[in-house]
Amino acid sequence: MSAAKRTPRDERRRRLGQNFLEADIAKTVGAGASFQPSELVVEIGAGLGGLTFPLAQRVSQVLAVEVDPILAARLRREIQRRKITNVSVVCCDARRYRLPRRPFRAFGSLPFGATTGLMRHLLDDPGSQLERADLVVQWEVARKRVAAPPSTLLSAAWAPWWVFELGRRISAEAFRPLPAVDAAVLQVTRREPAVLPIDLASPFCEFLRVHWGAPEARRTD
């Protein structure tokens, strides 16, 4: 689509990396995450609620985080119209969202361009209350994260505290607008027991930065 023909909605989608899952696929992804009725879930990139509404039927509370103020406002109105009481919409960049101080799970279809930043926000601090994350990410990103042994500095820095598993592959055809690549569900669970104590997280990361030098072809992200 040429720049001259783009609507304001098209510009927002391009700027924010918005690709929305079709409703049936969204429901399947939610069903596969094995949510429990008592759980608190932070949904990243709520959009218009394709994942939010099925999720609200499964868990105690949903904190739906959406950076786009127009979509956030529409989602709030739809929540009110449906008289849903266990969903709160938070309009902000999820990379700056203050995570809950009680046990929670994370869930969402991540904007492809912000995947690393969002995952770092969730996983860099193993002392957080995050218990599990089920995230839709680019297929190659998911494959990179589940590589054993870790193939990047970032994956190695997370490995003592988190376990990564590759879920179902999702065709690019399942998104609107259509992205250039397929996606996958990446499941991240807290390692029990952890390989290292939480208070060694910063020293361990610094050690990796100093010594992660060879071979040079290794990625740092």
Side-chain angles (χ1 to χ4, degrees):
M1 180 182 296
S2 68
K5 294 181 180 180
R6 291 192 190 117
T7 67
R9 182 179 67 175
D10 294 329
E11 291 294 345
R12 289 200 317 278
R13 285 181 171 179
R14 181 183 180 86
R15 175 170 52 84
L16 299 174
Q18 295 171 332
N19 299 93
F20 302 113
L21 271 175
E22 292 182 347
D24 289 346
I25 301 297
K27 289 180 181 179
T28 301
V29 171
S34 303
F35 289 108
Q36 300 302 311
S38 62
E39 289 179 318
L40 165 66
V41 180
V42 174
E43 183 193 2
I44 299 173
L48 291 174
L51 293 170
T52 312
F53 297 120
L55 183 58
Q57 297 175 346
R58 296 175 178 272
V59 302
S60 173
Q61 184 179 5
V62 180
L63 302 175
V65 183
E66 173 54 53
V67 68
D68 186 334
I70 294 176
L71 294 186
R74 290 178 62 184
L75 181 58
R76 284 194 187 100
R77 289 195 295 270
E78 184 62 17
I79 288 169
Q80 292 172 354
R81 188 187 72 81
R82 298 192 189 193
K83 296 181 171 58
I84 296 173
T85 60
N86 65 333
V87 178
S88 300
V89 179
V90 182
C91 184
C92 74
D93 186 332
R95 291 170 292 187
R96 298 176 179 85
Y97 176 64
R98 181 175 293 181
L99 299 175
R101 295 184 179 180
R102 65 182 178 93
F104 73 98
R105 290 180 57 176
F107 184 63
S109 181
L110 304 189
F112 289 169
T115 297
T116 298
L118 289 165
M119 291 188 67
R120 292 200 63 166
H121 186 54
L122 291 171
L123 304 178
D124 274 0
D125 178 12
S128 76
Q129 293 296 307
L130 176 67
E131 296 183 324
R132 170 173 162 175
D134 294 81
L135 308 171
V136 177
V137 301
Q138 292 181 62
W139 170 251
E140 289 302 326
V141 170
R143 289 186 62 202
K144 178 172 63 176
R145 293 297 169 223
V146 301
S151 60
T152 74
L153 186 152
L154 195 53
S155 291
W158 291 333
W161 297 279
W162 306 103
V163 177
F164 297 84
E165 295 184 23
L166 183 63
R168 62 172 292 170
R169 186 165 183 162
I170 302 174
S171 169
E173 298 289 337
F175 294 87
R176 293 295 180 271
L178 187 72
V181 295
D182 286 353
V185 177
L186 178 64
Q187 182 188 109
V188 188
T189 53
R190 186 173 289 276
R191 189 182 293 278
E192 296 290 352
V195 175
L196 293 174
I198 289 171
D199 59 5
L200 289 182
S202 293
F204 178 66
C205 289
E206 184 58 30
F207 173 85
L208 288 177
R209 291 189 188 97
V210 171
H211 295 282
W212 191 270
E216 291 184 356
R218 283 186 171 181
R219 297 284 301 278
T220 60
D221 61 354

